[in-house]
Amino acid sequence: MEEVKNSPVYLKNEAIERLDGNEELFEKVLEMFIAKTPSEIEKVSEAFLNKDYEKLIFHSHTIKGSAAIIGAEKLRLACEKIEKASKQKQSIEMIQPYVEALNPIFNELNKVL
């Protein structure tokens, strides 16, 4: 969990670079990300509570990809950890800190957007 805590929250310049410097496209993608991510986080939480590894993999992967595009590094990394641990069917207790961190990380991200 330390790796996630110590990672940058937001890497806007790198995100815009990945979109070939297209700031207008970045703003559209960012808007969609802000609108859709809370429901995806909720789906991760539900999958966690149900110990549904397949859904944990799917929904954490969805957030991870979107977070990578907009430069939300801390959120991307937390989702990467959830996805990897779920694929390895690690104990649900190992996954729990990352799942519980998603909403606070998203809230932290919203403060800098």
Side-chain angles (χ1 to χ4, degrees):
M1 192 65 197
E2 282 303 308
E3 184 181 358
V4 172
K5 287 180 183 176
N6 294 328
S7 65
V9 175
Y10 186 47
L11 301 170
K12 181 178 181 178
N13 292 337
E14 287 86 343
I16 293 172
E17 244 178 64
R18 275 192 291 282
L19 297 172
D20 293 326
N22 189 333
E23 290 190 37
E24 187 177 319
L25 177 59
F26 174 78
E27 290 301 324
K28 288 178 184 176
V29 171
L30 181 61
E31 188 177 303
M32 290 185 336
F33 174 82
I34 292 168
K36 294 183 178 190
T37 300
S39 66
E40 284 299 320
I41 290 173
E42 182 62 33
K43 290 173 185 174
V44 169
S45 296
E46 287 173 20
F48 171 77
L49 291 173
N50 293 324
K51 299 178 182 175
D52 187 332
Y53 287 102
E54 293 305 312
K55 286 185 180 176
L56 273 169
I57 293 166
F58 179 82
H59 294 296
S60 62
H61 181 81
T62 299
I63 298 169
K64 181 183 79 172
S66 300
I69 291 169
I70 66 115
E73 180 59 18
K74 189 176 281 196
L75 187 61
R76 184 205 64 76
L77 185 57
C79 287
E80 179 180 280
K81 299 288 187 183
I82 295 167
E83 181 183 16
K84 183 177 180 182
S86 298
K87 284 180 178 178
Q88 296 172 350
K89 300 237 191 286
Q90 291 184 4
S91 73
I92 209 74
E93 291 79 20
M94 296 286 291
I95 299 169
Q96 185 173 0
Y98 300 104
V99 172
E100 289 176 349
L102 294 181
N103 274 316
I105 292 170
F106 185 73
N107 293 336
E108 183 181 10
L109 176 63
N110 271 320
K111 289 178 185 175
V112 298
L113 293 178

